[in-house]
Amino acid sequence: MDKTTSGWFNGFLGVLIFSGSLPATRVAVMDFSPVFLTVTRAALAGLIGLALLLAFREKRPSRDDLISLTIVALGVVVGFPLLTALALEHVTSAHSIVFIGLLPLATAIFGVLRGGERPRLAFWLFSCLGSALVAGFALSRGLSASPVGDALMLAAIVVCGLGYAEGGKLSRRLGGWQVICWALVISLPLMLVLALVTFPSSLAGVGMPAWVSLAYVSLFSMLIGFVFWYRGLAQGGIAAVGQLQLLQPFFGLALAAFLLHEQVNAAMVVVTLGVVLCVAGAKRFAR
């Protein structure tokens, strides 16, 4: 398997894992506060990441790398999880998942700004088309449905795209799993303190689905998924492999429908299929 193919394969595995993040977060915020969920998932993943770095005796990142790792931490360890958790108090996971269709465009833009990549014009046309379908869907639903939820999701997409691009660039030097582990470790002291401060006064009302969801977003969404994702971005290119995120709404909507029994209407399916088709064109002209 050549480097580019390996990049797409690893990226696909990452997207597949991330697809369960929003449905799991939706379940978790029913019993946990968004802030507690965000800091606890980061703290648990950070402890595992620290153990991995110590076990493999990884060399500490340079001072210059610390800036990039901080950006990664702010984007994907704190920013995206917190903003989506807050958004999911206002919208369903099925509705929020469609916004993930905007992530490829955000990642590609930051891939140019931070990673120095230069995709061709046709790539941007396909990427913008997929994003336009998503934006059109959101507008068709009417902002009155939940302007707060939609605004939070849009903010989450921006910070996540930055975190993805920065992490993909840094993975070329440090390695995919090392980047997310170091970003988690940088955040760990603050996350542990906040987890203790925001710990619920009583756990009597917390059901098993919430605990399982917390475990999923901590282990898979916050750590394992990034091992494959950052490796894929480093191998296949940030802008190119980033288009695989167009597949995430498809998997996420399926999970929302079958696991959470949320309504997935025809408009959601049409938009999802439309953005999935855009990934083929974007991939062809990514370089």
Side-chain angles (χ1 to χ4, degrees):
M1 186 182 297
D2 60 45
K3 185 176 180 180
T4 300
T5 303
S6 179
W8 280 85
F9 178 73
N10 283 310
F12 176 78
L13 291 178
V15 166
L16 196 60
I17 292 171
F18 290 152
S19 297
S21 298
L22 291 179
T25 300
R26 174 66 172 174
V27 173
V29 295
M30 292 179 180
D31 293 341
F32 295 119
S33 73
V35 175
F36 173 76
L37 176 65
T38 299
V39 298
T40 301
R41 67 186 278 185
L44 293 174
L47 291 172
I48 299 173
L50 177 60
L52 290 172
L53 291 170
L54 292 175
F56 288 96
R57 298 180 180 180
E58 286 295 318
K59 182 180 178 181
R60 293 182 180 181
S62 67
R63 183 176 300 178
D64 292 338
D65 290 336
L66 289 177
I67 298 176
S68 290
L69 287 170
T70 301
I71 294 175
V72 173
L74 291 174
V76 303
V77 176
V78 180
F80 183 76
L82 178 59
L83 290 169
T84 53
L86 291 171
L88 286 167
E89 288 191 317
H90 303 276
V91 298
T92 67
S93 61
H95 182 81
S96 66
I97 283 167
V98 182
F99 281 83
I100 301 300
L102 294 169
L103 255 179
L105 181 59
T107 303
I109 291 173
F110 285 115
V112 171
L113 296 176
R114 301 293 301 174
E117 297 188 354
R118 293 293 182 270
R120 286 185 279 176
L121 177 61
F123 165 85
W124 293 110
L125 294 176
F126 280 105
S127 186
C128 288
L129 177 60
S131 299
L133 288 173
V134 175
F137 167 80
L139 292 174
S140 71
R141 300 285 291 180
L143 292 178
S144 59
S146 179
V148 174
D150 287 351
L152 288 168
M153 280 305 303
L154 288 173
I157 295 305
V158 173
V159 298
C160 190
L162 174 59
Y164 279 172
E166 196 70 28
K169 180 188 71 172
L170 196 56
S171 294
R172 297 166 185 166
R173 297 199 307 275
L174 300 183
W177 73 269
Q178 292 91 335
V179 167
I180 189 58
C181 284
W182 281 119
L184 287 165
V185 167
I186 288 175
S187 311
L188 184 57
L190 179 59
M191 296 298 103
L192 282 174
V193 171
L194 291 177
L196 293 174
V197 171
T198 60
F199 196 86
S201 58
S202 173
L203 298 176
V206 181
M208 183 57 65
W211 288 114
V212 173
S213 297
L214 174 60
Y216 184 89
V217 296
S218 300
L219 182 60
F220 290 92
S221 303
M222 200 77 268
L223 183 60
I224 296 177
F226 279 103
V227 172
F228 294 106
W229 182 241
Y230 279 149
R231 183 186 300 168
L233 292 178
Q235 291 175 329
I238 297 170
V241 175
Q243 298 307 299
L244 282 170
Q245 294 165 105
L246 290 172
L247 298 173
Q248 190 168 331
F250 179 80
F251 298 124
L253 288 176
L255 288 172
F258 289 106
L259 296 181
L260 304 182
H261 306 292
E262 292 183 355
Q263 182 181 3
V264 177
N265 56 37
M268 291 181 181
V269 175
V270 170
V271 171
T272 300
L273 291 177
V275 295
V276 166
L277 291 176
C278 289
V279 73
K283 176 181 179 295
R284 181 177 181 182
F285 298 103
R287 293 184 177 180

